[in-house]
Amino acid sequence: MTDSVSRHPLEQTAFDEWPAAVRALFDGTSLAGKIGFTASLLTTNTNGHVRTSLLGVGELYAPDARTLCLALWPQSRAAGVLAHGGRAALTFVCEAVFYQVQLRFEALQPVAGDASGLAYFIGSIDTGETQRVPYARLTGGITFELEEGGAAVLDRWEQQIEHLKQAAAVRGP
């Protein structure tokens, strides 16, 4: 370990509201420019097994500073856990910082006219933490590129975000 590394260990900060950069990432706008971003949603089933679901910006919407809405396939393991008032951790990289956020979720009612078949959830931040080190810069987490037909995926995401917005608005603060 070099002297500069030992004098500057891991930097950690705690939060209970989304930082501005994360709010901008999860604001449901300009999805085309955010393609490739991936968050990892970690849930634990009744057997104690940790499961990971990878989510893109078209499945995440933060209606306010302490809340996150998700759109999930209803048959997914994560949806099964969250449908029963489950807890989850969301991890991702934003602006060279690693985020880990503990959230409590509940199901949202589907909105009228939504034929997507998706299950919607709303979660509130329990605790959040950022981590970084001064000697290395995170350049990304898990990333992806859309294959042929990506325009259809982007259209679906935009519809999903609109449904998340509507579902969150019906529930209220």
Side-chain angles (χ1 to χ4, degrees):
M1 188 180 301
T2 68
D3 189 38
S4 65
V5 172
S6 63
R7 285 185 286 148
H8 301 285
L10 176 69
E11 298 171 16
Q12 295 178 298
T13 58
F15 64 90
D16 60 2
E17 292 189 352
W18 296 117
V22 176
R23 289 272 324 261
L25 182 61
F26 297 156
D27 68 1
T29 66
S30 305
L31 298 179
K34 299 172 185 175
I35 291 173
F37 169 83
T38 307
S40 179
L41 183 72
L42 303 160
T43 56
T44 305
N45 66 18
T46 55
N47 295 331
H49 295 123
V50 176
R51 301 293 187 196
T52 302
S53 300
L54 300 178
L55 305 175
V57 292
E59 297 150 332
L60 302 159
Y61 169 63
D64 60 54
R66 295 189 45 83
T67 307
L68 183 68
C69 298
L70 304 176
L72 301 172
W73 295 110
Q75 68 274 22
S76 70
R77 290 178 254 190
V81 170
L82 300 185
H84 302 290
R87 298 175 57 94
L90 188 75
T91 62
F92 57 93
V93 173
C94 178
E95 295 191 341
V97 177
F98 176 75
Y99 285 82
Q100 182 170 330
V101 186
Q102 304 291 323
L103 299 125
R104 296 173 192 246
F105 284 94
E106 63 184 70
L108 285 170
Q109 296 299 315
V111 296
D114 177 8
S116 69
L118 294 170
Y120 300 118
F121 299 92
I122 190 164
S124 58
I125 296 174
D126 188 15
T127 61
E129 179 179 271
T130 65
Q131 298 178 9
R132 73 170 89 196
V133 292
Y135 55 86
R137 182 175 184 275
L138 289 172
T139 58
I142 300 168
T143 58
F144 68 93
E145 295 177 356
L146 292 176
E147 296 290 340
E148 193 172 317
V153 173
L154 185 57
D155 288 343
R156 178 173 52 87
W157 280 0
E158 289 172 351
Q159 291 174 358
Q160 287 171 197
I161 292 295
E162 285 307 312
H163 292 142
L164 282 172
K165 288 178 180 179
Q166 292 171 23
V170 168
R171 180 183 175 271

